[in-house]
Amino acid sequence: SAVISQKPSRDICQRGTSLTIQCQVDSQVTMMFWYRQQPGQSLTLIATANQGSEATYESGFVIDKFPISRPNLTFSTLTVSNMSPEDSSIYLCSVGGGGNEQFFGPGTRLTVL
Amino acid sequence: KQEVTQIPAALSVPEGENLVLNCSFTDSAIYNLQWFRQDPGKGLTSLLLIQSSQREQTSGRLNASLDKSSGRSTLYIAASQPGDSATYLCAVDNYGQNFVFGPGTRLSVLP
């Protein structure tokens, strides 16, 4: 298993600003994933982040809005840029996949006013 | 494109009952299927992982089955307790498509 931490756990932000969410894993992993969970909804994959390469974004998500960094095998950041109230969600990072069990961080609850 | 559905959307049962949650998926080309639990406002806790070659997995009072050919999985919870109240999500790990999640079943176990 993997232990994953996220910072911040929650934040309240103003429209038009940006927030960077950090994800730290207790072991080296190849793939890290970022998800969004809008209120009352299930999880939607934003992008896959592999160390040493550009993140791969899912349909409907773009790098300008959700830039991702993956500087090493234990850490990643997701930035939510130029925020609007529609970005209010829980953002989760995870590791695993590709046939392996997936583990999730505790999530970052974002509210945009 | 893989689609995952879960039935029922919500379920309320008295403590002690055995219950079954259902998950269906449209594309059988999967690595595995995983069941998660999510408490309100929290992250996801992995409950059971079933590889595509397996038929079932058990952990304590939980038993998950997988019928890949028919695109179905069930999560059986024995002797339910109020602490089991949460949203239960199934997710399939697809070849070339990563994880796709179902909408979840919201479970309430009443004391």
Side-chain angles (χ1 to χ4, degrees), chain A residues 35 37 42 98-99 101-102 106, chain B residues 32 34 38 43 46 93 98-99 102:
Chain A
Y35 288 85
Q37 186 176 31
S42 190
E101 189 171 4
Q102 195 169 34
Chain B
N32 57 53
Q34 195 166 351
Q38 186 176 33
S46 177
D93 190 0
N98 296 315
F99 270 76

Side-chain angles (χ1 to χ4, degrees), chain A residues 18-21 63-69 77-81:
Chain A
S18 297
L19 176 71
T20 295
I21 302 168
I63 187 171
D64 290 346
K65 175 67 176 178
F66 298 101
I68 288 170
S69 77
T77 66
L78 169 75
T79 299
V80 186
S81 303

Side-chain angles (χ1 to χ4, degrees), chain A residues 9-109:
Chain A
S9 58
R10 59 176 61 217
D11 207 341
I12 300 173
C13 300
Q14 296 297 319
R15 180 195 299 261
T17 63
S18 297
L19 176 71
T20 295
I21 302 168
Q22 300 178 5
C23 179
Q24 179 76 51
V25 188
D26 69 342
S27 58
Q28 294 184 340
V29 295
T30 303
M31 293 190 290
M32 295 179 75
F33 304 90
W34 286 99
Y35 288 85
R36 180 176 74 182
Q37 186 176 31
Q38 294 176 300
Q41 303 296 313
S42 190
L43 278 73
T44 301
L45 181 64
I46 297 172
T48 303
N50 291 334
Q51 195 269 335
S53 63
E54 295 292 323
T56 302
Y57 289 82
E58 298 298 304
S59 176
F61 297 96
V62 295
I63 187 171
D64 290 346
K65 175 67 176 178
F66 298 101
I68 288 170
S69 77
R70 182 79 202 275
N72 58 53
L73 291 172
T74 63
F75 187 78
S76 178
T77 66
L78 169 75
T79 299
V80 186
S81 303
N82 188 25
M83 288 183 287
S84 67
E86 292 69 36
D87 294 319
S88 297
S89 299
I90 298 175
Y91 291 86
L92 301 114
C93 68
S94 75
V95 302
N100 299 311
E101 189 171 4
Q102 195 169 34
F103 298 97
F104 281 81
T108 295
R109 171 165 270 183

Side-chain angles (χ1 to χ4, degrees), chain B residues 12 21 25 30 36 45 74 76 84 86 88 103-104 106 108:
Chain B
S12 184
L21 308 182
F25 49 96
I30 64 172
F36 295 89
T45 300
T74 61
Y76 175 83
D84 295 330
Y88 290 80
R106 191 171 64 254
S108 295

